[in-house]
Amino acid sequence: MLNLLIERFFLFDPLALFFLVVIFIISLPSFIYSFSYLKGEYPAFKIFSAQILLFVFVLSMAFVVSVSNCLVFLIFWEIMSLVSYFLVVFDTNNERSIKAGLVYIVMTHIGTAFIIAAFMILYNHAHSFDFIAIKNACSVMPQRTKDIVFLLFLIGFGTKAGIVPLHIWLPYAHPQAPSHISSIMSGVMIKTAIYGIIRFVIFILGINTSWWGILVLILATITSLVGIIYALMERDIKRLLAYSSVENIGIILSGVGLAMYFISLNLSYLAVFSLIAGLYHLINHAIFKGLLFLCAGSVYKATGTRDMEKLGGLIKKMPHTAVYFLLGAMAISALPPLNGFVSEWLTLQAFFLGAFNAIGGSKIFLGICAAMLALTSGLAVACFVKAFGIIFLAKPRSHYAESAKEAALPMRIGMLILAVFTVIFGLAAALVIKSLSGVSSSALGIDISNMSFFLNSLRFAPQIAKNTYLSTPLLALLLVLFSVIGFVIYRVFGNRRAVIYKTWDCGYYKLGPRNEYTATAFSKPFRIAFSFFLLPYRKTQKIRESFYHIKSFTYETHTTKVFKKYIYNPLFAFMLKLAKSMRKMQPGSIHLYLGYIFITLVLLIIFMERF
């Protein structure tokens, strides 16, 4: 009976197993981390309820990526959304949590509505909610209908993934959830939307037109660039990481979009290669972003603030957390030989190989996308130099930072596990890619038995570019070798001449916390460079003792939330106005309500007679 149930409602193919591995890798360290993180913050009963919610949350995500029936998928998708909502508003005394939860639940249900609409259209053609039955029906579905279903899926899953401009909920919800939940939401939950796009668009609908992939690539490029620009402007560490998740979703979608585009051009090898790059960055982002959120939680637990302007000097107070954060920052900045470098290198190679094999305007388009990805990577480096430098270096800027202490052992264990994975998934790149080739070929329905991806277990080379290869163990060996040589040279020749002295900073020797470099000051050049998009504005206030003497001067700078101001606020105002106008239909007259019911019944009878 159990086996029959599993065969009927579950699909444990390579794609599902891959996402189950991602869920397990992130959830286990976060669960270990949560024991100390929640301790002392909430009563015992609330902590117990949080762990129950966490268990249901992880279980619902596991079901989402493994069921084989659309109706069952929707049930667990909704459970995942509702449980994550309760975790976002877990701190019920915090007004920001309630607001963030409201934005999240509204946006996620808007996305779910589009997914339901797509499922209803598919059911109308397949007369079944089973994945395989729907896949067979899609082979004879009219192209116009498939286009509509594709757009419904893109909007529905794009809302959960945080694709620009549907990302509005993400910087609200992630910072307000407990940090171990933020780690899972950013590392895993938003990736279930990527699973949905791969499963329902590539695997079930099938790609037979190029504009689908082009649209996804355009949205991916915009998403990655917008996400990192907003992250650079942030001074709240968790909001910075949330916007960075938007950026990395864009990078993941670049691989998925390239795969869709290459399928339409019958470039099977490049399609498999591109999806490998996308899936590799998916699991890499889950690891290093999960690590960074746990580190941010440790900083918040020790200091009571997420404002980077009030931190500083934590490398001496929290050395373990500082090392783990630095490792995660290096990985997310795509520095070799860590995992983030490998997947971004693969994505760039996919763009380059695609440009070499494309014709006409496609070459220019793919070249522009590759250039935007390179710009995004450069901005990510600047973003995390700012984050690490302002939080952990220099002097403490407040009493919050001065009184900080290292995180408890369970929290350090959770961070250590993900830090180790960050290194392993970088050094074992060739083995990981070999495993992902099976997942990619299964999802795309492409036979890779005649495709050669590997030279050996230590290095990897794309088949079309045989003179280009990547060996992360060799890179690691060279880095260690150069470090040792540099240390030896310093000890032998430089130690006699080196003089340790107090810090010099532009002629000022007695620097205090008030005149240290800040996150806002660091981001100013980028705020100026992208002012056409950020639309920065200032607020100043002078308090004078006399005409010639100023007692105090207050300066604030902010950026305009373009999508909120020009898209969501007008839309909300319109909906509010529409709702008020609908009140005229509710005057309180029972006769009028009976009339509504009568008209509705007449219309239903006419509708049933026609169909």
Side-chain angles (χ1 to χ4, degrees):
M1 182 67 180
L2 181 61
N3 291 335
L4 184 63
L5 189 66
I6 292 174
E7 290 178 3
R8 183 174 181 181
F9 292 107
F10 290 89
L11 181 64
F12 292 109
D13 64 352
L15 183 65
L17 293 175
F18 166 75
F19 276 89
L20 287 172
V21 169
V22 176
I23 292 170
F24 175 77
I25 285 177
I26 306 305
S27 300
L28 180 60
S30 299
F31 178 70
I32 296 171
Y33 178 96
S34 68
F35 285 102
S36 292
Y37 182 80
L38 296 173
K39 187 177 181 181
E41 297 290 328
Y42 305 99
F45 174 76
K46 197 162 188 176
I47 293 176
F48 177 75
S49 63
Q51 301 293 28
I52 295 296
L53 287 172
L54 174 59
F55 176 76
V56 176
F57 184 37
V58 173
L59 195 63
S60 63
M61 288 188 293
F63 279 116
V64 161
V65 301
S66 58
V67 295
S68 62
N69 182 284
C70 292
L71 191 60
V72 181
F73 176 91
L74 278 174
I75 292 172
F76 287 109
W77 182 269
E78 189 66 11
I79 292 173
M80 177 185 71
S81 299
L82 289 175
V83 173
S84 57
Y85 163 76
F86 289 127
L87 289 168
V88 169
V89 300
F90 187 73
D91 189 358
T92 52
N93 296 322
N94 189 335
E95 185 177 347
R96 289 185 177 181
S97 297
I98 304 301
K99 181 181 178 181
L102 178 61
V103 173
Y104 169 60
I105 200 67
V106 169
M107 289 300 296
T108 195
H109 278 95
I110 290 174
T112 302
F114 281 91
I115 296 172
I116 291 173
F119 283 165
M120 292 298 101
I121 295 174
L122 293 176
Y123 179 80
N124 187 50
H125 284 79
H127 304 292
S128 172
F129 284 116
D130 184 74
F131 286 0
I132 303 302
I134 293 174
K135 179 178 174 64
N136 294 331
C138 286
S139 61
V140 294
M141 183 183 293
Q143 184 59 44
R144 182 173 295 181
T145 304
K146 293 179 71 173
D147 291 342
I148 294 172
V149 173
F150 161 69
L151 291 174
L152 290 172
F153 277 138
L154 186 62
I155 296 172
F157 290 120
T159 303
K160 180 69 77 176
I163 298 174
V164 172
L166 304 172
H167 69 290
I168 190 71
W169 66 270
L170 204 146
Y172 286 98
H174 284 198
Q176 297 306 321
S179 292
H180 63 289
I181 301 300
S182 300
S183 174
I184 297 175
M185 289 179 69
S186 180
V188 182
M189 187 192 75
I190 62 175
K191 309 302 191 319
T192 59
I194 304 297
Y195 167 82
I197 292 174
I198 297 173
R199 175 67 75 191
F200 294 106
V201 175
I202 296 179
F203 181 78
I204 291 180
L205 276 181
I207 310 297
N208 54 7
T209 181
S210 60
W211 74 265
W212 291 10
I214 293 172
L215 177 59
V216 171
L217 279 173
I218 292 172
L219 291 175
T221 302
I222 295 172
T223 297
S224 58
L225 199 54
V226 168
I228 196 60
I229 290 173
Y230 275 135
L232 260 171
M233 299 303 113
E234 279 297 331
R235 52 187 285 180
D236 183 315
I237 181 175
K238 290 185 71 175
R239 283 177 67 88
L240 181 151
L241 294 176
Y243 276 120
S244 174
S245 294
V246 175
E247 172 228 348
N248 281 275
I249 282 293
I251 297 175
I252 295 166
L253 276 176
S254 294
V256 176
L258 278 170
M260 294 168 64
Y261 181 62
F262 291 141
I263 291 173
S264 67
L265 300 180
N266 293 319
L267 297 173
S268 300
Y269 174 84
L270 289 180
V272 174
F273 183 82
S274 300
L275 191 56
I276 288 173
L279 293 176
Y280 203 157
H281 198 72
L282 186 149
I283 192 169
N284 286 343
H285 175 254
I287 293 169
F288 57 63
K289 184 53 64 66
L291 171 61
L292 288 169
F293 264 114
L294 295 187
C295 292
S298 297
V299 171
Y300 177 71
K301 178 82 172 178
T303 62
T305 181
R306 303 196 310 256
D307 188 351
M308 291 189 287
E309 310 282 55
K310 297 179 180 178
L311 299 174
L314 294 184
I315 193 169
K316 295 181 179 179
K317 307 284 185 177
M318 308 175 69
H320 293 90
T321 302
V323 170
Y324 298 143
F325 191 98
L326 179 61
L327 198 64
M330 292 171 64
I332 201 171
S333 300
L335 297 181
L338 301 176
N339 58 350
F341 164 76
V342 181
S343 50
E344 289 200 29
W345 183 87
L346 290 175
T347 307
L348 280 171
Q349 288 294 315
F351 275 117
F352 294 150
L353 295 175
F356 292 151
N357 289 272
I359 57 174
S362 298
K363 287 181 177 287
I364 299 174
F365 172 68
L366 293 175
I368 292 173
C369 290
M372 292 300 101
L373 177 59
L375 175 60
T376 300
S377 299
L379 293 175
V381 173
C383 179
F384 284 93
V385 166
K386 178 189 83 168
F388 181 80
I390 300 300
I391 295 171
F392 291 99
L393 304 182
K395 296 180 180 180
R397 296 176 177 82
S398 67
H399 67 276
Y400 305 108
E402 289 179 349
S403 59
K405 295 182 180 179
E406 184 57 271
L409 181 61
M411 296 170 69
R412 298 202 304 272
I413 291 174
M415 290 185 285
L416 175 62
I417 293 172
L418 292 178
V420 171
F421 278 129
T422 301
V423 177
I424 290 175
F425 275 77
L427 296 180
L431 298 178
V432 175
I433 293 169
K434 187 174 183 179
S435 299
L436 291 179
S437 63
V439 179
S440 180
S441 64
S442 173
L444 297 172
I446 296 174
D447 183 15
I448 61 169
S449 58
N450 296 323
M451 299 180 187
S452 176
F453 287 100
F454 315 101
L455 296 177
N456 54 49
S457 60
L458 296 179
R459 62 179 184 173
F460 165 79
Q463 185 185 40
I464 303 175
K466 295 182 179 180
N467 295 326
T468 301
Y469 70 90
L470 175 67
S471 176
T472 45
L474 179 59
L475 284 174
L477 183 61
L478 289 174
L479 287 173
V480 171
L481 181 61
F482 285 128
S483 299
V484 171
I485 292 174
F487 178 75
V488 170
I489 292 174
Y490 168 75
R491 294 296 296 177
V492 174
F493 299 104
N495 196 33
R496 300 172 185 175
R497 299 179 182 179
V499 177
I500 298 176
Y501 199 64
K502 56 187 177 182
T503 303
W504 181 88
D505 191 353
C506 300
Y508 293 92
Y509 293 98
K510 295 183 179 179
L511 292 176
R514 287 177 60 83
N515 54 4
E516 283 185 321
Y517 214 56
T518 63
T520 304
F522 187 96
S523 62
K524 183 175 181 178
F526 303 98
R527 191 162 56 249
I528 295 172
F530 296 101
S531 59
F532 64 92
F533 170 69
L534 294 169
L535 305 178
Y537 59 94
R538 304 171 183 173
K539 292 182 180 179
T540 59
Q541 182 182 13
K542 295 180 181 179
I543 299 178
R544 298 178 179 271
E545 290 182 339
S546 65
F547 181 80
Y548 297 103
H549 297 88
I550 298 175
K551 183 178 181 180
S552 65
F553 181 87
T554 303
Y555 173 89
E556 295 181 18
T557 181
H558 302 273
T559 57
T560 304
K561 303 300 182 186
V562 175
F563 297 100
K564 181 181 178 182
K565 182 176 181 180
Y566 294 107
I567 297 179
Y568 288 97
N569 285 350
L571 183 61
F572 176 75
F574 171 76
M575 295 298 295
L576 191 62
K577 184 177 180 180
L578 182 64
K580 288 181 179 179
S581 65
M582 295 292 288
R583 293 177 61 183
K584 297 177 182 178
M585 299 176 61
Q586 297 177 316
S589 171
I590 187 66
H591 303 289
L592 186 60
Y593 296 156
L594 290 173
Y596 291 158
I597 296 172
F598 175 75
I599 293 172
T600 303
L601 288 173
V602 170
L603 291 174
L604 287 174
I605 291 171
I606 295 172
F607 180 80
M608 290 177 66
E609 287 293 329
R610 291 185 63 182
F611 294 95

